[in-house]
Amino acid sequence: MTYRPEIDGLRAVAVLAVLLFHAGGILPGGYAGVDVFFVISGYVITGVLSAELARGGFTLAGFYERRVRRIAPALLATIGITAAVAPFVLLPPDLDAFGESAVAAALMVANVHFWLEAGYFDTESLTKPLLHTWSLGIEEQFYLVYPLLLAALWRRARRAVVPVLLALFVISLAASVWAVAEKPQAAFFLAPFRVWELLLGALIALRPLPRLRFGSPMAGLGIAMIGAAYLLYDDSVGFPGLAALLPTVGAALVIACAREGTRAAQILGAPLLVAVGRISYSLYLVHWPLIALIEYRGGDPVQGWESVAVIALSLAIAALSYVYVEQPFRRPARFGAYWRVFGAATAATAVACAVGASFDMSDGMAGQMPANVRAAFAAGKDVWKDGDRCFVDTKGRSGPTPDDIRSGRMCRFGAASAAARPDFVIWGDSHAASMAPAILTSAGRHGASGAFVGAGSCPPLPGYDTLDVRDRTERRCHETNAAALDYVEAQRPAYVFLVARWPKYALGSEFGNEGYFFDPRKIKPPVAGEDVRLEAALDATLARLRAAGVTPVLVMDTPEPGYDVPYATARELLQNETPNLAPARSAVAARQARPLAILTAVAGRHGGEVIDPTPAFCDDATCRVERDGVLLYSDEDHISLTAATELSGLYDPLFAELARRRPDAAKSSRPAAP
């Protein structure tokens, strides 16, 4: 293909947008630069392939040799250097995860790997120095198939090339639009929902339409469309889908219309932009590991002068990579025959995979951590062991089925047989599982027997639709809760303990950016109407419980630290800092005020009880996350087994009353409500 400097300029526009997005969020929609890259890639590769096919010079070996020379050296160098630095920065769980991602990136399946994990915009992305390699996975998966398809069509049905590619473009775009609404993570990371962007560039290269007139104005429009996406989009936009048409069609217009002599070509062909465009691949590779590791070490996103320094350093490292890694390996003389190129790439990939696997198999080199750091991590495993067998998996893979629940084939505790009527039932979401040891310990002291039923993200409210959960989870919640209520109405235990993360349901959101890097400044405001919806559902549930002669016991949620307590504690200890993760009592009170008021009001209307464990954690100033060096949380919102056991005294009055009444209850056909 004839060299077009404006294409390198467009590459610069794409990579600088990504860099400005990652470096402190300077450009909120800069992530769309990746989509501009996809269009450029489809255009350039199709131009080369079609020229070779036209003159009969196309070979698969030649194509893949060029791809290996172009992609592998800088990628494997980035993986290797990041792997050398990561053990000195990342904590064991993140080094373990980095090892897995290094293997995935080296094998060009990083997009699939990260699809199976958290999203691209999640706070935990700071712990993933190779997250950006997802886009390379999409490209290389596309280019495993595309040359074969194009060559077959070219040789057997040349007139069908454009119609077939156009049909695939439409199918992929339609699938992307559907997936953004139904499966957003898949839409973002998986190739079938992205290939339309590469095919858009391919169609421009094949010129299915007469060349557009008024080249400069149309190219200017394309630049404006790209800029609009960068400025107007943010991480709340459903992407790619229809939203991706703005930057990608803009890129297509620039490629098609910014020809030599146009004003757009002159702007994009400016020497500085062209220079950045030439190093754009290395710049894309090196910038994110640098930013991620710096932010990880500091605990906060880079901002201000830090952003400027990171951008400058990224440009310098990328220039060195371009000169000393990219260029030498693109010369045909290096390694000679194609089989040597493939052999060298295979060997280097094997080394990268071996290094990554070593991090994974050593649990992130956890054995080399100081004893106090290992002890902090151990709190993450201080959980109720019976939860694994008792808890309903929202994917339907484990735990009791609805039929099991209705027939009583679920977790039972106490001396009574499984066929006997339980004295109590614990019912709720994952917070019910973390609180269960407290209730069971107290019940055991007083000779009471009971049952447990719970499912993740499922408050004990039949028919209640939880905000922002997958359809599959919602369906499982409805089935589990309906079965639980049927069981309770049939068995009529004395107590039903309803335990859930009530603030999340009353306010419609979690406690800010929870997890490893919690920012209290980013706590979302309450979602209007969620508190009313929760109160109505709770009122209806308690009415049915009382109609069955059951006393409902509403257990208020424990304080939410926001941080992943074991992880954040270990991180501060590793940096020789004194952990200071206790949330302010005022913040906890503000978070709990509305849900506690709802629980109190509804319980009062239906003769229920409310148990609030908050005072056991909080004094007037703060709410503890540790006591005498022992952590009280296993993550960012679930209390540990140790903490739960210490709360058992809260339930003693209820079970003591039940024990006093047991002889009377035994004479009755059903236990009387206390």
Side-chain angles (χ1 to χ4, degrees):
M1 297 178 68
T2 302
Y3 175 67
R4 295 179 57 188
E6 64 272 15
I7 298 298
D8 271 333
L10 187 59
R11 285 193 177 101
V13 169
V15 74
L16 289 175
V18 176
L19 181 53
L20 292 173
F21 170 70
H22 284 149
I26 298 172
L27 202 58
Y31 58 85
V34 174
D35 304 85
V36 176
F37 269 127
F38 285 154
V39 178
I40 296 171
S41 178
Y43 169 77
V44 172
I45 297 299
T46 301
V48 172
L49 287 174
S50 61
E52 290 183 340
L53 288 166
R55 68 172 185 266
F58 169 77
T59 66
L60 275 178
F63 173 79
Y64 290 127
E65 179 188 356
R66 289 195 303 272
R67 291 302 295 171
V68 169
R69 287 182 181 272
R70 175 76 173 98
I71 300 299
L75 172 63
L76 294 172
T78 299
I79 294 173
I81 294 172
T82 307
V85 176
F88 299 97
V89 179
L90 301 180
L91 287 169
D94 301 320
L95 186 59
D96 186 344
F98 169 80
E100 295 178 0
S101 67
V103 174
L107 297 177
M108 293 295 180
V109 291
N111 58 320
V112 178
H113 172 76
F114 290 118
W115 166 59
L116 296 172
E117 295 188 345
Y120 181 77
F121 299 107
D122 289 351
T123 306
E124 286 77 4
S125 65
L126 293 179
T127 69
K128 301 173 183 178
L130 297 178
L131 176 63
H132 63 321
T133 59
W134 69 269
S135 63
L136 301 183
I138 286 178
E139 279 205 45
E140 296 317 304
Q141 290 155 27
F142 175 71
Y143 290 128
L144 282 176
V145 178
Y146 179 64
L148 295 170
L149 173 64
L150 188 62
L153 291 172
W154 196 280
R155 290 167 179 164
R156 298 180 182 180
R158 187 173 303 186
R159 291 188 177 183
V161 169
V162 169
V164 169
L165 296 187
L166 185 60
L168 293 174
F169 167 86
V170 172
I171 292 170
S172 176
L173 176 58
S176 180
V177 172
W178 170 83
V180 163
E182 300 296 329
K183 298 183 180 295
Q185 299 297 343
F188 194 93
F189 284 113
L190 299 187
F193 309 111
R194 290 279 194 170
V195 296
W196 66 268
E197 301 177 49
L198 292 136
L199 290 171
L200 179 58
L203 291 168
I204 294 297
L206 295 171
R207 298 177 184 173
L209 300 173
R211 178 177 292 187
L212 293 169
R213 303 296 181 184
F214 312 110
S216 192
M218 296 301 291
L221 174 62
I223 293 174
M225 292 171 68
I226 295 171
Y230 292 166
L231 293 171
L232 300 178
Y233 289 176
D234 58 23
D235 57 11
S236 67
V237 174
F239 209 83
L242 292 176
L245 285 171
L246 189 61
T248 54
V249 172
L253 287 174
V254 172
I255 293 170
C257 303
R259 295 290 177 169
E260 185 177 359
T262 63
R263 182 61 177 162
Q266 292 172 358
I267 294 172
L268 292 173
L272 185 58
L273 278 179
V274 171
V276 174
R278 286 178 175 171
I279 67 169
S280 59
Y281 177 56
S282 282
L283 182 56
Y284 181 77
L285 284 175
V286 305
H287 85 282
W288 178 243
L290 182 63
I291 292 172
L293 293 175
I294 289 174
E295 291 184 338
Y296 185 98
R297 185 67 176 175
D300 292 301
V302 295
Q303 294 179 341
W305 287 108
E306 289 180 332
S307 298
V308 175
V310 164
I311 291 170
L313 186 56
S314 298
L315 287 165
I317 297 174
L320 292 174
S321 175
Y322 177 75
V323 172
Y324 295 106
V325 180
E326 280 195 66
Q327 288 301 100
F329 286 95
R330 294 180 72 177
R331 298 179 188 130
R334 180 71 61 144
F335 294 114
Y338 70 86
W339 61 269
R340 291 181 178 174
V341 174
F342 295 149
T346 301
T349 300
V351 171
C353 290
V355 172
S358 70
F359 292 150
D360 183 30
M361 291 186 292
S362 65
D363 292 327
M365 302 173 66
Q368 299 184 25
M369 292 291 104
N372 60 345
V373 175
R374 294 199 303 271
F377 275 123
K381 298 180 180 179
D382 184 20
V383 296
W384 186 44
K385 303 304 180 186
D386 285 320
D388 290 340
R389 69 183 180 90
C390 300
F391 206 61
V392 175
D393 187 312
T394 53
K395 296 181 180 179
R397 296 179 301 192
S398 63
T401 66
D403 288 342
D404 290 336
I405 294 169
R406 287 188 173 91
S407 60
R409 295 190 302 270
M410 55 206 197
C411 285
R412 298 290 298 268
F413 303 91
S417 68
R421 181 174 297 167
D423 296 316
F424 66 93
V425 172
I426 303 170
W427 178 18
D429 61 10
S430 61
H431 285 220
S434 62
M435 183 59 74
I439 301 171
L440 295 175
T441 300
S442 177
R445 284 197 292 264
H446 296 87
S449 62
F452 174 90
V453 58
S457 298
C458 299
L461 304 170
Y464 181 81
D465 291 331
T466 305
L467 194 66
D468 295 332
V469 300
R470 296 179 178 179
D471 291 343
R472 177 174 54 189
T473 301
E474 196 76 84
R475 184 166 55 252
R476 191 70 169 166
C477 288
H478 288 178
E479 293 171 352
T480 301
N481 283 332
L485 185 57
D486 288 346
Y487 174 77
V488 167
E489 290 180 326
Q491 297 295 319
R492 299 188 176 188
Y495 300 122
V496 171
F497 294 92
L498 291 90
V499 193
R501 192 177 181 183
W502 301 115
K504 175 181 177 180
Y505 307 119
L507 304 178
S509 65
E510 295 184 345
F511 195 44
N513 285 342
E514 298 179 320
Y516 302 153
F517 300 96
F518 173 59
D519 187 349
R521 297 167 298 180
K522 296 183 178 179
I523 297 174
K524 295 180 180 179
V527 177
E530 285 301 294
D531 56 343
V532 175
R533 206 164 61 84
L534 173 65
E535 184 168 3
L538 194 59
D539 191 85
T541 301
L542 264 62
R544 289 188 62 175
L545 292 177
R546 286 305 293 170
V550 175
T551 296
V553 181
L554 303 180
V555 181
M556 182 56 192
D557 196 28
T558 53
E560 300 159 294
Y563 296 93
D564 184 313
V565 172
Y567 180 98
T569 301
R571 185 169 174 274
E572 294 198 8
L573 290 172
L574 193 62
Q575 296 179 9
N576 297 316
E577 298 178 3
T578 301
N580 183 23
L581 306 173
R585 178 64 187 266
S586 58
V588 171
R591 173 79 173 166
Q592 292 188 339
R594 182 60 182 138
L596 183 57
I598 292 173
L599 266 60
T600 303
V602 176
R605 288 197 292 269
H606 297 283
E609 301 279 348
V610 176
I611 292 180
D612 184 5
T614 302
F617 290 83
C618 303
D619 55 29
D620 292 339
T622 60
C623 294
R624 291 181 297 275
V625 298
E626 61 84 27
R627 184 180 293 114
D628 299 326
V630 178
L631 299 186
L632 303 179
Y633 289 81
S634 60
D635 56 19
E636 63 269 18
D637 58 269
H638 296 89
I639 58 173
S640 65
L641 174 62
T642 298
T645 304
E646 292 178 358
L647 295 174
S648 63
L650 294 174
Y651 304 93
D652 282 345
L654 289 173
F655 286 113
E657 174 66 17
L658 183 62
R660 285 193 296 269
R661 292 156 41 83
R662 187 170 292 118
D664 295 335
K667 298 175 183 179
S668 173
S669 61
R670 72 178 191 193

